[in-house]
Amino acid sequence: MKKRIVIVIGILAVVLIAAVLLSLSWGTYQMSISEILQTLIGNGSKVQATTIFSLRLPRIAVAILVGIALSTAGCILQSVTKNELAEPGIIGINAGAALAVVLVIATSTTSYYSQLGDWAIYLMPFAGIFGALVAAIAIYVLSYRKGISPTRLILIGIGVNAGLNAVITLFQLTLSKGDYNQALTWISGSLWGSSWQFFWLIVPIIGIFFAWTLLESRSLDILDLGDELATGLGIRVEATRRKFLFFAVALAAASTAVAGNVAFLGLLGPHLGRRLVGPVHRRLIPTAGLISAIIILFADTISRNLFSPIEIPVGITISIVGVPYFIYLMLKMKE
Amino acid sequence: MMEATITAHDLSVAYDDVLVLDKLNVAIPKGKITMIIGTNGCGKSTLLKTIARILKPKQGEIVINGENIKSQAPKAIAQKMAVLPQSPVVPPGLLVKELVAYGRFPYQTLFAGMSEHDLEMIQWALTATGMSEFAERSVDQLSGGQRQRAWIAMALAQETEILVLDEPTTYLDMAHQLEVLTLLQRLNREQQRTIVIVLHELNNATKFADHIIGLKAGKQVFAGKPLDVITPENLQQLYGIQAKLQLDESGTYPICVDFSLATEE
């Protein structure tokens, strides 16, 4: 197993680097690998330097963070709910964050994204966390009857998700056209306009909660064995569940605040990861994070370029892969 | 009188409003194999779950080694008592050695990895249950008997003086039932572990138990050595059956050779 994990992580790292290079080179302004490398060590032209350092690199960095955060949130939710279909996009946590962010945008701008005031940008992740937290608390409280039944949590989450999306749609109808485009970005999930500012904004939040989850990953392993065994092994099941639920909310909210509601990323990474390295979270979380980062990077590169100059939201590209996979999983679970 | 490891005083447990255990008083003797028997719904699993802290009693208390379980930290209890529920679920793809390693959870701190002692205990648990050769196999690919042994190995790795098992032989054929119970008996004899088992098969209970507790409608009907308490009268009271009993060849435990439903007189 040790050998296997080293090989898996090694291969995934190589693929991630390939995805990064592809994303750096492919765009309205094409760059060759050698040009990229030259620019990275400071020998590029001004245009090249701007393309790499101000546009593509921050976007890539944000994408990787979002991939890791959503995948980790997915790992957590799948253990907490004991349902392998759980992920922050499906049970309404992302939608809660998206609604809050859309509200911030709507109240603080009249036209486009670049004109969002600094304070609004800094407000977004916190609005996101607040919105996600409200959604999570609503789901938790609604599904609480002398403890949490995982199935009820999922079903109520799906209901809350539908409700929140309805509210977002209702809200969209009242927005001006510019606001509408921006709101749409958040609703479908997009990395459009990602800047270093965004990156530095979410790095501490995602870093802390990712590390913390990894540190306490043994508790997630034990929760997977069911409430009875977990209790017997000395875990306070309900309190541990609540704590991890909060971690998942923070991770999902931070990423939704900058990238909008990207669905399925929290599903794909953990699932493929489990097939590669098994269910032990110490290995699963980093592997799943890498996989989700790779998926979102490839998907984003395609989203930017396939119908250029029109950009399709990355969330839609991921859903094209995610929806069939989700259906496949549902069919498999029925058996 | 024997020394008790676990005692329940005036224990009442209810699901919603239905009282399942009604001011129950039981004592589990130290270093012995105790079997809890009774009809479906008599409260035996409920008693086990309450001892295991999965259910909260409405009234009364449970004392382990002279200390109320309420006043002990969850991990401290987990170092004294391992609990195996009826049909535990295993995450797909989990290897036997990983499952057994989870048994060390109560001893692990946040930052430390596996200690030398952790690894020794895991090895020992695998060897004691005969699971060493399956260590690298995925638990969900094992047969029922092997899987049960893997779970017992996990409970052993927990290094506790008390082992609590809820129907560990359900879904196993006769040979595998015997295998599991013999393993538990060996652990008890060689290491004086206190073992508490909820069991359905009466003959297995009389054969392997040092102490049998009969529960009916949330009350203790009888408790004692199999020879003393497994009598036709007690079985009629417990199950409502008329049982034909005879002693085994060595004369140490009763066997139920036949039974019929008791008719009202």
Side-chain angles (χ1 to χ4, degrees), chain B residues 153-173:
Chain B
M154 189 200 89
L156 287 186
Q158 212 175 321
E159 208 183 344
T160 56
E161 52 162 303
I162 308 165
L163 266 177
V164 175
L165 305 98
D166 195 354
E167 296 190 27
T169 57
T170 318
Y171 310 120
L172 298 184
D173 59 49

Side-chain angles (χ1 to χ4, degrees), chain A residues 296-309:
Chain A
I296 190 175
L297 255 188
F298 273 122
D300 186 50
T301 308
I302 291 168
S303 301
R304 277 195 293 130
N305 292 302
L306 206 58
F307 300 106
S308 173

Side-chain angles (χ1 to χ4, degrees), chain A residues 183-190 259-263 313-316:
Chain A
L184 196 65
T185 303
W186 258 277
I187 293 153
S188 313
S190 169
N261 187 355
V262 183
V314 67
I316 289 176

Side-chain angles (χ1 to χ4, degrees), chain A residues 42-287:
Chain A
N43 295 332
S45 68
K46 216 172 172 186
V47 178
Q48 287 171 335
T50 308
T51 308
I52 296 286
F53 290 116
S54 307
L55 295 173
R56 292 185 190 166
L57 218 45
R59 186 163 175 155
I60 290 166
V62 169
I64 291 174
L65 277 184
V66 166
I68 291 172
L70 287 178
S71 146
T72 307
C75 284
I76 294 173
L77 289 175
Q78 283 154 29
S79 283
V80 166
T81 62
K82 288 189 209 78
N83 189 315
E84 48 178 46
L85 298 179
E87 68 113 20
I90 291 170
I91 66 165
I93 293 178
N94 286 1
L99 178 59
V101 172
V102 166
L103 284 172
V104 169
I105 295 171
T107 51
S108 58
T109 66
T110 43
S111 58
Y112 277 108
Y113 197 51
S114 51
Q115 282 167 307
L116 270 181
D118 265 357
W119 71 272
I121 289 181
Y122 288 119
L123 193 61
M124 278 181 337
F126 298 102
I129 290 179
F130 177 77
L133 206 58
V134 170
I137 289 172
I139 298 164
Y140 189 88
V141 169
L142 287 172
S143 52
Y144 193 94
R145 273 187 196 85
K146 292 183 183 172
I148 285 296
S149 138
T151 323
R152 202 160 47 215
L153 195 114
I154 292 274
L155 290 175
I156 286 179
I158 291 172
V160 168
N161 190 37
L164 285 171
N165 281 319
V167 174
I168 293 173
T169 311
L170 197 68
F171 207 78
Q172 273 176 277
L173 298 173
T174 66
L175 292 177
S176 69
K177 201 175 174 197
D179 281 347
Y180 180 84
N181 284 342
Q182 254 179 49
L184 196 65
T185 303
W186 258 277
I187 293 153
S188 313
S190 169
L191 293 162
W192 182 65
S194 293
S195 64
W196 285 119
Q197 220 175 356
F198 280 17
F199 175 80
W200 291 116
L201 208 57
I202 59 170
V203 133
I205 301 171
I206 291 175
I208 287 170
F209 286 104
F210 175 76
W212 201 345
T213 307
L214 207 54
L215 194 62
E216 296 206 25
S217 69
R218 276 196 202 113
S219 299
L220 284 177
D221 294 335
I222 303 299
L223 278 183
D224 275 349
L225 299 178
D227 294 3
E228 300 192 3
L229 267 165
T231 309
L233 284 166
I235 279 194
R236 292 177 209 270
V237 174
E238 209 52 53
T240 309
R241 228 185 239 155
R242 268 199 299 272
K243 181 172 73 186
F244 277 112
L245 208 54
F246 178 75
F247 290 3
V249 166
L251 286 164
S255 71
T256 305
V258 295
N261 187 355
V262 183
F264 296 112
L265 212 50
L267 198 70
L268 295 167
H271 274 264
L272 298 172
R274 232 170 255 134
R275 297 206 165 176
L276 290 174
V277 299
V280 181
H281 286 86
R282 184 174 68 248
R283 292 191 292 267
L284 174 62
I285 290 172
T287 310

Side-chain angles (χ1 to χ4, degrees), chain B residues 19-66:
Chain B
L19 206 60
V20 180
L21 299 182
D22 186 10
K23 291 193 181 150
L24 181 68
N25 285 292
V26 290
I28 310 286
K30 192 181 176 77
K32 304 267 189 240
I33 297 181
T34 300
M35 302 265 190
I36 305 174
I37 59 172
T39 53
N40 294 328
C42 71
K44 52 192 192 307
S45 278
T46 305
L47 172 61
L48 224 59
K49 282 181 184 163
T50 314
I51 291 174
R53 295 160 296 156
I54 294 151
L55 297 174
K56 299 245 170 327
K58 224 175 164 162
Q59 211 187 62
E61 56 184 30
I62 290 165
V63 176
I64 294 180
N65 290 343

